[in-house]
Amino acid sequence: MSDSDSIPSDPLHDIAEIPPLGGIWGRLVSGLDRLFALLASLALLAIAAVVILQVVSRVALPSSPAWTEELSRYLFIYMVSLSSGLVLRRNRHVNVELFQHLLGRRSQLVYRALCCLVVGVFSAWMIPYAMQFAQVGAFQTSPTLEVHMHYIFFSTVALFGLSALYAAIGLIEASVAIARGGSTHTGETP
């Protein structure tokens, strides 16, 4: 046995993970995860391609296209919006862990369920305002791409909608895990 095998895990990273749902609902949520991860990854790749195009055009061409900066900004906005639910689901958002590692597994699940509830309620409350904000862009177009800005402003609806959806999923999964007694069983079927 090597020394690396006997190293204890980091207690700050041992915060209870919410076990995913099993069965058809688990596969549906997993499919949503893959879809939004793919869309966010495609947006990131598109950002890289646009930035590379801008760098190459500044170095090798007499002039660089003006639309690259604008497109990269819009792709970044949508990348963040599309990945917001995944970040919440995987507990990868910025948070302050002051006391969670001191709690037992069941209490950590209750805490995570409470966080999902607060985020979900706030996000659901913000959706109508985000829709109003998106409608403001109906009469505007972007300067260089001439895209209707309501498509860009709709990213706020996607952000809050996906955050509310994934908060509800997290709340359901945490509730199921709490009802099962806080066990590490994922509920996945073979």
Side-chain angles (χ1 to χ4, degrees), residues 128-147:
Y129 299 107
M131 291 172 136
Q132 288 176 352
F133 176 67
Q135 291 172 355
V136 168
F139 306 106
Q140 301 172 354
T141 58
S142 63
T144 58
L145 292 174
E146 296 184 7
V147 174

Side-chain angles (χ1 to χ4, degrees), residues 31-94:
L32 279 175
D33 289 351
R34 285 192 299 273
L35 172 67
F36 290 117
L38 174 69
L39 291 173
S41 298
L42 289 174
L44 181 61
L45 288 173
I47 290 170
V50 168
V51 169
I52 289 171
L53 172 66
Q54 185 174 29
V55 169
V56 168
S57 66
R58 285 185 182 195
V59 172
L61 299 177
S63 66
S64 62
W67 54 266
T68 54
E69 182 181 343
E70 189 175 300
L71 180 59
S72 64
R73 188 178 324 126
Y74 297 153
L75 288 169
F76 179 75
I77 290 168
Y78 264 97
M79 181 188 69
V80 169
S81 295
L82 293 172
S83 62
S84 64
L86 294 172
V87 169
L88 179 64
R89 177 166 167 74
R90 295 179 182 165
N91 197 31
R92 301 288 188 229
H93 51 299
V94 175

